[in-house]
Amino acid sequence: MNKKLITIAIQTAIMGGALSLAPQVYAADDTEIAKPKLEATADEQGKEPEIQEKITVTGSRLRRDSFSITTPLAVLGRDDIEDTGLGSLAEILVEELPQISEGSSNSNSQSSVQNTGLSTIDLRELGTNRTLTLIDGRRVVSNSYSGNYVSLSTIPSGMVERVEVITGGASAAYGSDAIAGVVNIITQQDKEGFSFKARGGESTEGGAKEFTLDLDYGTEFADDRGYLFFSSTYDKQYGLSYWDRDRAQQQESWRYNTAEMCNAMYSEDNTSSKGTCMRDMTQADWRNLSDSIAGGVFDEKSSYKPDSGFWYDENGLRDDWHEEKYGRDFNQFVMLKVPDEAISAAIKVDFELTDDIQSYFQVQYSENRSINQKSPESEDEFDGIVVIDPVTGESSQIGAGRIPKNNPYMPQEIYDQASSKGVKWDRGFDEVGNIINDNTRKTIRSWAGLQGTIFDGNWDWDLSVGYGKFTQEQTRYNELYIANLTHALNAEKLDDGTIQCADADARAAGCVPINLFGEGSITPEAADYIRATPTISTDVQQTTVLGYIAGDLFEMPAGPVASAFGFEYRKDEQSVDTNVPLGGVSFNYVPTFSGDVSVYEVFGEAAFPLLKDVAGAKSLTAEVSARLADYSWSGTGLIQSYKTGVTWQPVEGYAIRANWARAQRAPSITELLSPPRGDYDSFDDICEGTTLTSTDAGHDNCRLEPGIAAVIADGSEFEDDNNGYSPNVGNSELKEETADTYTLGITLAPEFAEGLRIAVDYYDITISDAISSFSNEDIIDYCYNSSLDFGDDNNFCNDIQRDAEGQITTVNQRVYNVDEIKTNGFDFAAEYRYELDKYGSLKFKADWTHVIGYEQTVQSPEGPATTNYEGDLSQDIFEDKVTASLSWYYDDAWRVRWSTRFKSAVVASRSVYDDWEKAITKNNEYCADGSDKCVLEPEALDDSFYNLPSYITHNLSVSYTLDLANDGELRFFGGVNNIFDDRGPFMAIGGRGNFDSNYGGGKGRFAYAGAEFKF
């Protein structure tokens, strides 16, 4: 098959993806696909070839030589991918390219309603929604209704040839969502033959086991006019549990006690929610337990004090309840890494119809399943459950209610002290079973098209259509129907001793009375009656039509003006359905909603050669591009994205490049249209500590809340015990985001140091009208403690709901165009290759990303407030991230690679420091006023928890290839990642199981081995 390079480039990437002479990262195999030379005849040998094929690179559709790109480009080659020993492409990119961070992964999505099992990435920490992931240069269907999330686990690993990354506004080339940049997955182009690979690995301490099988086949057919490639992957990640790591089993509940001004943990000596000073205890005294125990807790007087109510252990009823002594550690049910299983396959076919026209086709299919085993459902008498009025559509909350005082199962001791309102309770529903979150995702992506040449071969054209569909079936086993539980608690005893549900209609519907008193007291029949199995079904579809032409417009003295013009039509559709549309189930309520949008786009770009081969300018090229997009919904204006750049090569091997880009992102369907979708986040209530006379910020307004007023009426203090429910809510008034990106860089490939290449690029990105939501604490603060009036006229107050006891039951997190995000820094990349003659060759590669600043400005009622998040782990922003490797190649058989990864020191959370600083200020005021609340020697934040040290890991991989008969190969490979078993700092602030996914999530040292057979 006569596959011209330009044909391959247009076919598979629309704009290709070939290596630049001066990119930030270089493919490890050093395959010279850029600027190939025509083969010389015998008569021409010794002459310099004059013709070089022009190619296209990620970020543009222009045909030109590969030195003339203005935007920094990073490339990760096939060998680099294989040498990591990892099965997840997302993990590989995060490990190898410091510009990239994890989005959703199996190590950070344990508590997510819909994202468990996704593997997405995030450029510059600007958000997954602002990182556009392409496959062969094509926009593809999303793997989540939350936004444009492309899960890299849906792509067969054997299909990937390399990955190219552009950071900073690429919307002029690709449209909305490319504000942070583009990650382009380039699939295999011309691989022939059969290959089979098996890989397995596991942490040396146990857990985190992985197993992968790859099967690929490529061949030419029809007298080399056609090319077919098939790839399939099976990957299983077994996960990592609480029981796999001793550190995870250490209880902790760090907080800063603002009354005693000390670092605190819960302990058996607690007297309030503020905890006990750590200076007065040892690590063995730390506690973080729950009252949702298997036998139940009844009429609990306090969550923090001893002798606080009745409870059941395995021996029966007791009256000395003490949560931090007898409670349950719920962390045991949280996976450090959620198991995941995936199978994917893809086939691509190219065929030359004529000398000038070629057809291409590709289809990819994947199925991913993630099963997250969680705790048994935990409920109390009013753990607010969302219900929807079937007539009005309005939402409210219900609870199971107290156990009626006349409940026939109630022990006499509890009955004697019970209120006429009934008995309060907390219980884990172990008899119903552990909650199981089962996510099954299916994705199909396909496209087909024709391409060719016109105008005597001087212009290329491409016309294609694409279709993708993603479905997700999420099933939550062993949840509870709250209305059924209420009916079951309302039981009566007949004269013959039979116990039945008191409500006749409930009995007719199958009601079974329930006994909550004691371990194992719920009968299988009662468990079946209250058990719910809610499902969420997601359907996302995308249809695209794309066409463009590329060629030289006219000649300038320095050369031809390369150009490209085209159009794109895209329709995105999504729907979310549930089998419990009216709610009433102990589950993060996600309502039924749907939406669609059609987008019509036109684009064009051109590169103008200004100078060539003159004094001071080997070449000087200017580039411009623009894209206009019209969205079918009225709220989004005309999306306008532009880019202009210049590349100056003063002498051979040295270049300076500069770029400015204006990029815009339209709101997603969910951001615009979503009703409240259930979610839980921890937050503190500003009304904590409110009394009849307290003077803390906001407490005057807190006393106006009826529930709080009732609690403090007898002189008591209000204690925050919120449920953390904070659903996400869309906003139909959203408009587009706008970003301006500036880059300035130099590339060096000096002749005196053959094999050395260096690139340094500065970037500056500012996003205005960024779509975001206020934090829960901010929403609460703007209601109770801002210049806005407290009450119904305050929208922030309207997004807060409290129950009869004053506890917050809901904080709606509505999205707004409220943020400005600014980040700047630089990327440094170096590669050096050195030949050792008969001893092979060495390759050194290093990539360094330095963040100078990362600021987020939020428009608040008091005016704009700016926070610097550079070096803040809670935002995943490290000041410095470095990857470096040294590879040795010998005799086309051996490949040995040592790699190192570095992350700079960070603080755990700047918001924690801000809260501490506020407490210090308040304490200083108490001391100045002579208040008895003054603490003379307040503690600083615990340095070991707040100031986290730098983190460095080392990896070793070895590969040996054995030649077999008939051009066959057998390759053995293995290695150890994180050789010195550095698991990062103890995470008392954030993280899971005292680990953080930025430091491996507890995996530690990981060993792997495998083999690959080719023929």
Side-chain angles (χ1 to χ4, degrees), residues 874-892:
S874 68
Q875 304 298 316
D876 297 338
I877 300 171
F878 293 84
E879 182 179 357
D880 293 288
K881 291 198 294 185
V882 183
T883 60
S885 65
L886 179 64
S887 301
W888 175 58
Y889 301 84
Y890 178 71
D891 197 28
D892 292 329

mmCIF file of all heavy atoms in Angstrom, residues 874-892:
data_model
loop_
_atom_site.group_PDB
_atom_site.id
_atom_site.type_symbol
_atom_site.label_atom_id
_atom_site.label_comp_id
_atom_site.label_asym_id
_atom_site.label_seq_id
_atom_site.Cartn_x
_atom_site.Cartn_y
_atom_site.Cartn_z
ATOM 1 N N SER A 874 -4.660 20.510 48.220
ATOM 2 C CA SER A 874 -6.111 20.333 48.085
ATOM 3 C C SER A 874 -6.589 20.700 46.686
ATOM 4 O O SER A 874 -7.658 20.259 46.257
ATOM 5 C CB SER A 874 -6.851 21.178 49.126
ATOM 6 O OG SER A 874 -6.713 22.570 48.865
ATOM 7 N N GLN A 875 -5.803 21.501 45.965
ATOM 8 C CA GLN A 875 -6.115 21.853 44.583
ATOM 9 C C GLN A 875 -5.213 21.102 43.599
ATOM 10 O O GLN A 875 -5.259 21.353 42.390
ATOM 11 C CB GLN A 875 -5.933 23.363 44.374
ATOM 12 C CG GLN A 875 -6.743 24.223 45.319
ATOM 13 C CD GLN A 875 -8.226 24.029 45.158
ATOM 14 O OE1 GLN A 875 -8.744 23.981 44.042
ATOM 15 N NE2 GLN A 875 -8.939 23.903 46.272
ATOM 16 N N ASP A 876 -4.384 20.180 44.120
ATOM 17 C CA ASP A 876 -3.463 19.369 43.296
ATOM 18 C C ASP A 876 -2.460 20.231 42.534
ATOM 19 O O ASP A 876 -2.044 19.878 41.424
ATOM 20 C CB ASP A 876 -4.232 18.487 42.302
ATOM 21 C CG ASP A 876 -5.109 17.471 42.998
ATOM 22 O OD1 ASP A 876 -4.824 17.159 44.164
ATOM 23 O OD2 ASP A 876 -6.083 16.997 42.381
ATOM 24 N N ILE A 877 -2.057 21.356 43.095
ATOM 25 C CA ILE A 877 -1.154 22.269 42.388
ATOM 26 C C ILE A 877 0.196 22.293 43.086
ATOM 27 O O ILE A 877 0.339 22.851 44.178
ATOM 28 C CB ILE A 877 -1.753 23.689 42.304
ATOM 29 C CG1 ILE A 877 -3.084 23.647 41.557
ATOM 30 C CG2 ILE A 877 -0.784 24.635 41.595
ATOM 31 C CD1 ILE A 877 -3.860 24.938 41.612
ATOM 32 N N PHE A 878 1.177 21.665 42.465
ATOM 33 C CA PHE A 878 2.545 21.655 42.970
ATOM 34 C C PHE A 878 3.328 22.763 42.271
ATOM 35 O O PHE A 878 3.167 22.981 41.071
ATOM 36 C CB PHE A 878 3.205 20.312 42.689
ATOM 37 C CG PHE A 878 2.605 19.160 43.457
ATOM 38 C CD1 PHE A 878 1.468 18.516 42.984
ATOM 39 C CD2 PHE A 878 3.179 18.731 44.643
ATOM 40 C CE1 PHE A 878 0.912 17.452 43.685
ATOM 41 C CE2 PHE A 878 2.629 17.677 45.350
ATOM 42 C CZ PHE A 878 1.501 17.037 44.879
ATOM 43 N N GLU A 879 4.207 23.409 43.010
ATOM 44 C CA GLU A 879 5.031 24.444 42.400
ATOM 45 C C GLU A 879 5.949 23.850 41.336
ATOM 46 O O GLU A 879 6.152 24.433 40.272
ATOM 47 C CB GLU A 879 5.859 25.153 43.465
ATOM 48 C CG GLU A 879 6.709 26.290 42.911
ATOM 49 C CD GLU A 879 7.505 27.002 43.986
ATOM 50 O OE1 GLU A 879 7.358 26.644 45.177
ATOM 51 O OE2 GLU A 879 8.267 27.921 43.650
ATOM 52 N N ASP A 880 6.494 22.677 41.630
ATOM 53 C CA ASP A 880 7.404 22.025 40.683
ATOM 54 C C ASP A 880 7.053 20.551 40.559
ATOM 55 O O ASP A 880 6.814 19.867 41.575
ATOM 56 C CB ASP A 880 8.859 22.145 41.151
ATOM 57 C CG ASP A 880 9.362 23.567 41.118
ATOM 58 O OD1 ASP A 880 9.573 24.082 40.008
ATOM 59 O OD2 ASP A 880 9.526 24.161 42.205
ATOM 60 N N LYS A 881 7.025 20.090 39.320
ATOM 61 C CA LYS A 881 6.928 18.663 39.029
ATOM 62 C C LYS A 881 7.970 18.334 37.964
ATOM 63 O O LYS A 881 8.068 19.029 36.951
ATOM 64 C CB LYS A 881 5.530 18.275 38.544
ATOM 65 C CG LYS A 881 4.459 18.375 39.619
ATOM 66 C CD LYS A 881 3.203 17.591 39.279
ATOM 67 C CE LYS A 881 2.467 18.144 38.087
ATOM 68 N NZ LYS A 881 1.190 17.432 37.841
ATOM 69 N N VAL A 882 8.749 17.280 38.217
ATOM 70 C CA VAL A 882 9.836 16.918 37.318
ATOM 71 C C VAL A 882 9.785 15.423 37.050
ATOM 72 O O VAL A 882 9.562 14.623 37.967
ATOM 73 C CB VAL A 882 11.215 17.270 37.927
ATOM 74 C CG1 VAL A 882 12.335 16.945 36.947
ATOM 75 C CG2 VAL A 882 11.270 18.737 38.345
ATOM 76 N N THR A 883 9.979 15.043 35.795
ATOM 77 C CA THR A 883 10.202 13.647 35.440
ATOM 78 C C THR A 883 11.511 13.568 34.659
ATOM 79 O O THR A 883 11.806 14.443 33.837
ATOM 80 C CB THR A 883 9.062 13.067 34.587
ATOM 81 O OG1 THR A 883 8.952 13.823 33.369
ATOM 82 C CG2 THR A 883 7.745 13.113 35.324
ATOM 83 N N ALA A 884 12.295 12.553 34.946
ATOM 84 C CA ALA A 884 13.561 12.366 34.247
ATOM 85 C C ALA A 884 13.806 10.876 34.066
ATOM 86 O O ALA A 884 13.389 10.059 34.906
ATOM 87 C CB ALA A 884 14.711 13.003 35.032
ATOM 88 N N SER A 885 14.489 10.525 32.978
ATOM 89 C CA SER A 885 14.781 9.119 32.726
ATOM 90 C C SER A 885 16.093 8.981 31.983
ATOM 91 O O SER A 885 16.515 9.871 31.236
ATOM 92 C CB SER A 885 13.653 8.465 31.915
ATOM 93 O OG SER A 885 13.561 9.041 30.623
ATOM 94 N N LEU A 886 16.723 7.849 32.194
ATOM 95 C CA LEU A 886 17.933 7.476 31.475
ATOM 96 C C LEU A 886 17.709 6.070 30.929
ATOM 97 O O LEU A 886 17.459 5.133 31.699
ATOM 98 C CB LEU A 886 19.154 7.504 32.387
ATOM 99 C CG LEU A 886 20.491 7.114 31.739
ATOM 100 C CD1 LEU A 886 20.872 8.120 30.650
ATOM 101 C CD2 LEU A 886 21.593 7.015 32.792
ATOM 102 N N SER A 887 17.784 5.950 29.595
ATOM 103 C CA SER A 887 17.521 4.666 28.941
ATOM 104 C C SER A 887 18.773 4.189 28.214
ATOM 105 O O SER A 887 19.499 4.984 27.603
ATOM 106 C CB SER A 887 16.362 4.795 27.945
ATOM 107 O OG SER A 887 15.183 5.230 28.588
ATOM 108 N N TRP A 888 18.985 2.896 28.265
ATOM 109 C CA TRP A 888 20.098 2.262 27.553
ATOM 110 C C TRP A 888 19.528 1.276 26.546
ATOM 111 O O TRP A 888 18.722 0.413 26.897
ATOM 112 C CB TRP A 888 21.025 1.539 28.536
ATOM 113 C CG TRP A 888 22.135 0.744 27.896
ATOM 114 C CD1 TRP A 888 23.094 1.193 27.064
ATOM 115 C CD2 TRP A 888 22.362 -0.661 28.064
ATOM 116 N NE1 TRP A 888 23.928 0.173 26.687
ATOM 117 C CE2 TRP A 888 23.502 -0.987 27.290
ATOM 118 C CE3 TRP A 888 21.728 -1.685 28.783
ATOM 119 C CZ2 TRP A 888 24.013 -2.287 27.211
ATOM 120 C CZ3 TRP A 888 22.240 -2.965 28.720
ATOM 121 C CH2 TRP A 888 23.369 -3.262 27.936
ATOM 122 N N TYR A 889 19.944 1.427 25.289
ATOM 123 C CA TYR A 889 19.518 0.539 24.209
ATOM 124 C C TYR A 889 20.733 -0.238 23.713
ATOM 125 O O TYR A 889 21.806 0.342 23.475
ATOM 126 C CB TYR A 889 18.939 1.346 23.044
ATOM 127 C CG TYR A 889 17.754 2.208 23.415
ATOM 128 C CD1 TYR A 889 17.939 3.476 23.963
ATOM 129 C CD2 TYR A 889 16.452 1.755 23.212
ATOM 130 C CE1 TYR A 889 16.858 4.266 24.302
ATOM 131 C CE2 TYR A 889 15.371 2.552 23.545
ATOM 132 C CZ TYR A 889 15.581 3.796 24.091
ATOM 133 O OH TYR A 889 14.502 4.591 24.436
ATOM 134 N N TYR A 890 20.563 -1.538 23.543
ATOM 135 C CA TYR A 890 21.702 -2.338 23.103
ATOM 136 C C TYR A 890 21.255 -3.428 22.131
ATOM 137 O O TYR A 890 20.376 -4.246 22.457
ATOM 138 C CB TYR A 890 22.387 -2.980 24.310
ATOM 139 C CG TYR A 890 23.561 -3.864 23.939
ATOM 140 C CD1 TYR A 890 24.746 -3.301 23.461
ATOM 141 C CD2 TYR A 890 23.468 -5.248 24.041
ATOM 142 C CE1 TYR A 890 25.819 -4.100 23.116
ATOM 143 C CE2 TYR A 890 24.534 -6.064 23.696
ATOM 144 C CZ TYR A 890 25.717 -5.489 23.224
ATOM 145 O OH TYR A 890 26.770 -6.290 22.863
ATOM 146 N N ASP A 891 21.858 -3.407 20.957
ATOM 147 C CA ASP A 891 21.767 -4.504 19.993
ATOM 148 C C ASP A 891 20.319 -4.833 19.611
ATOM 149 O O ASP A 891 20.001 -6.000 19.337
ATOM 150 C CB ASP A 891 22.457 -5.741 20.566
ATOM 151 C CG ASP A 891 22.775 -6.773 19.487
ATOM 152 O OD1 ASP A 891 22.964 -6.367 18.317
ATOM 153 O OD2 ASP A 891 22.807 -7.981 19.814
ATOM 154 N N ASP A 892 19.448 -3.851 19.589
ATOM 155 C CA ASP A 892 18.036 -4.071 19.261
ATOM 156 C C ASP A 892 17.402 -5.153 20.118
ATOM 157 O O ASP A 892 16.393 -5.766 19.729
ATOM 158 C CB ASP A 892 17.871 -4.443 17.775
ATOM 159 C CG ASP A 892 18.209 -3.291 16.857
ATOM 160 O OD1 ASP A 892 18.004 -2.135 17.268
ATOM 161 O OD2 ASP A 892 18.692 -3.555 15.742
#
